[in-house]
Amino acid sequence: MAGIYVHIPFCASRCIYCGFYSTTGTLHHWQDRYVKAVLAELELRKDYLGGEAIKTLYIGGGTPSLLSPDNIRLLAHGLRTMNDKVPSQQAVAIEEFTMECNPDDVTPYLCSVLAEAGINRVSMGVQTFFYDRLRFLRRRHRAEDVPRAVEHLRKAGINNISIDLMFGFPGETIEEWEQDMERGIALDVEHISAYSLMYEEGTPLYTMRERGLITKDDEGHSAEMYDRLLDRLSEAGYVHYEISNFAKQGFRSLHNSCYWNGTKYIGLGAAAHSYDVNSRQWNTSDMAAYVRAIESGEVPMEIEISDARTRYNDMITTVLRTTEGIDLGKLNTQEYRYIMKNAHKSINAGTLEVVSGRMRLTRKGLYISDEVMSDLIWV
């Protein structure tokens, strides 16, 4: 089974760390046309998945919670009826339907709209509970908005909630990170994603560092924070199933697991990516150009055909992120010899291990996963 991702590029303001495509100040002028264009793209590409039924839906961004209730309903209905157009021997229900929301957008009315639309999972970018850091990141919400949002979602019957947390801020102490973790755990949400603050080229945060306005946190210090994260969330009953993701039993993100496990998915909207095993496609990162092209009956995209080596490299950078790791039995003889030869250094260093026929990162290797993966890439 497959998944559908929809990219909503609208934001009220842009966070300094965000490298995703988004646009500010265009919501009221463009959102109606944009949502209609996304649904038109879905119709144009309904055969892309080769008849596979849809199991997961995900509306991300950007800030999807800025959409009007009518557009949320319209978009959700169009996505949920996709399976009606897919040849299948039996009816298939959507198992997981996620929408990203800003905590300050989550009102009782919005929650009722989401529940009515069939959205059964909400992901919120909390990042931190410290006021000064929220302002530093240019987040719009306040710390007190988060527990209120969780309460509203629960009352609406949405009982699969995920939050994002960040660590490794300039000047952040271990004690401050522990406070953020404790406040996140106290929410008793089903899923937590936690990321080290990244300085992605092209973002305001990257520019601030390059100009010497801020200093990036020491790698060793951030690694200690990550260690504390692994220990504390495990104590709190969360299962660590991917480098940055933790879930209570039965609440792993099914949609994001599509990306890590090589499942097919369609990406709809400006800058959205798609994968059908044989190729990767990505739409233009220009909302106006996207809408106009779709309205003319064309999908403005680029495509990269996947050969055997590309698929092997994709596996390294996705499957190895999961705690289950790579099933070596699924590799052909050439791939198996290559990966074992190139994994030798990391296995000796204790950053990779092979257990029951699967190659996976050790705890020591988790924080330097990019370095470990680069040794396994087939060049």
Side-chain angles (χ1 to χ4, degrees):
M1 294 189 184
I4 298 177
Y5 171 81
V6 177
H7 188 67
I8 303 297
F10 307 110
C11 284
S13 58
R14 189 168 175 81
C15 301
I16 64 171
Y17 57 85
C18 183
F20 294 114
Y21 172 68
S22 65
T23 176
T24 59
T26 59
L27 176 69
H28 298 296
H29 180 68
W30 281 98
Q31 73 159 302
D32 291 352
R33 284 178 71 185
Y34 186 81
V35 169
K36 290 176 182 176
V38 165
L39 294 175
E41 183 188 357
L42 179 60
E43 184 64 27
L44 288 170
R45 302 180 64 199
K46 62 186 178 183
D47 298 325
Y48 177 77
L49 296 175
E52 292 200 26
I54 307 302
K55 182 171 70 171
T56 66
L57 302 171
Y58 195 109
I59 304 175
T63 313
S65 51
L66 289 177
L67 291 176
S68 69
D70 284 346
N71 275 323
I72 292 173
R73 294 186 187 101
L74 179 65
L75 181 58
H77 175 74
L79 295 173
R80 288 179 61 81
T81 56
M82 175 63 176
N83 277 338
D84 297 341
K85 304 170 185 177
V86 177
S88 179
Q89 297 189 6
Q90 58 183 0
V92 177
I94 302 297
E95 292 186 28
E96 180 188 273
F97 191 170
T98 303
M99 190 169 104
E100 294 178 357
C101 296
N102 254 39
D104 54 323
D105 291 333
V106 181
T107 62
Y109 179 57
L110 176 66
C111 293
S112 68
V113 171
L114 301 183
E116 173 195 337
I119 293 164
N120 57 18
R121 183 176 185 270
V122 164
S123 177
M124 293 191 293
V126 173
Q127 317 311 2
T128 178
F129 293 94
F130 285 91
Y131 176 84
D132 289 346
R133 292 203 174 100
L134 287 171
R135 300 287 76 77
F136 168 70
L137 296 175
R138 298 181 195 163
R139 298 291 297 171
R140 334 189 239 117
H141 73 274
R142 299 165 298 173
E144 57 265 33
D145 293 328
V146 178
R148 189 182 304 124
V150 171
E151 181 182 0
H152 293 332
L153 290 165
R154 298 286 191 216
K155 286 182 177 178
I158 297 175
N159 293 309
N160 190 352
I161 302 171
S162 178
I163 63 169
D164 291 352
L165 295 176
M166 281 186 172
F167 60 93
F169 292 97
E172 184 179 19
T173 66
I174 296 293
E175 292 70 27
E176 288 169 338
W177 171 228
E178 289 176 335
Q179 289 179 52
D180 266 347
M181 281 194 289
E182 292 306 323
R183 293 188 70 173
I185 290 167
L187 296 171
D188 198 29
V189 293
E190 287 68 34
H191 190 280
I192 296 177
S193 299
Y195 306 94
S196 176
L197 184 64
M198 300 297 293
Y199 294 75
E200 188 169 342
E201 190 169 358
T203 64
L205 183 66
Y206 179 88
T207 301
M208 292 167 70
R209 187 192 69 178
E210 291 300 292
R211 291 179 177 175
L213 301 176
I214 56 174
T215 302
K216 184 179 179 181
D217 190 43
D218 176 77
E219 288 291 335
H221 192 242
S222 288
E224 184 179 353
M225 291 183 179
Y226 186 65
D227 271 338
R228 299 288 181 97
L229 171 75
L230 298 181
D231 290 337
R232 185 63 189 98
L233 290 191
S234 177
E235 290 171 4
Y238 290 88
V239 177
H240 183 213
Y241 70 100
E242 191 271 346
I243 289 174
S244 302
N245 287 274
F246 307 78
K248 291 184 178 180
Q249 195 66 41
F251 287 96
R252 295 187 182 196
S253 171
L254 299 180
H255 182 84
N256 288 339
S257 294
C258 289
Y259 307 142
W260 305 318
N261 295 322
T263 306
K264 296 179 182 179
Y265 58 88
I266 302 178
L268 304 172
H273 287 236
S274 303
Y275 176 68
D276 68 353
V277 179
N278 296 313
S279 69
R280 293 191 180 277
Q281 300 181 12
W282 55 96
N283 291 348
T284 180
S285 298
D286 181 322
M287 182 190 61
Y290 166 79
V291 170
R292 292 178 180 126
I294 295 294
E295 289 174 345
S296 298
E298 299 179 3
V299 181
M301 64 170 185
E302 294 184 56
I303 185 169
E304 177 185 76
I305 302 300
S306 298
D307 56 18
R309 187 166 296 186
T310 303
R311 289 191 288 272
Y312 166 88
N313 287 338
D314 286 344
M315 175 194 64
I316 295 299
T317 57
T318 55
V319 181
L320 200 56
R321 294 185 60 89
T322 67
T323 52
E324 286 81 7
I326 297 169
D327 183 351
L328 297 174
K330 292 185 177 181
L331 304 181
N332 62 39
T333 301
Q334 188 179 24
E335 290 169 341
Y336 179 83
R337 288 175 178 168
Y338 185 88
I339 197 172
M340 293 306 296
K341 175 185 175 183
N342 286 274
H344 186 71
K345 181 181 77 172
S346 295
I347 291 173
N348 286 344
T351 55
L352 270 181
E353 63 182 1
V354 177
V355 178
S356 300
R358 304 188 79 96
M359 181 177 290
R360 65 191 187 192
L361 293 164
T362 64
R363 176 161 176 156
K364 183 180 177 181
L366 288 170
Y367 198 76
I368 59 167
S369 58
D370 287 349
E371 178 184 326
V372 175
M373 290 175 188
S374 67
D375 288 339
L376 304 180
I377 292 292
W378 199 318
V379 292

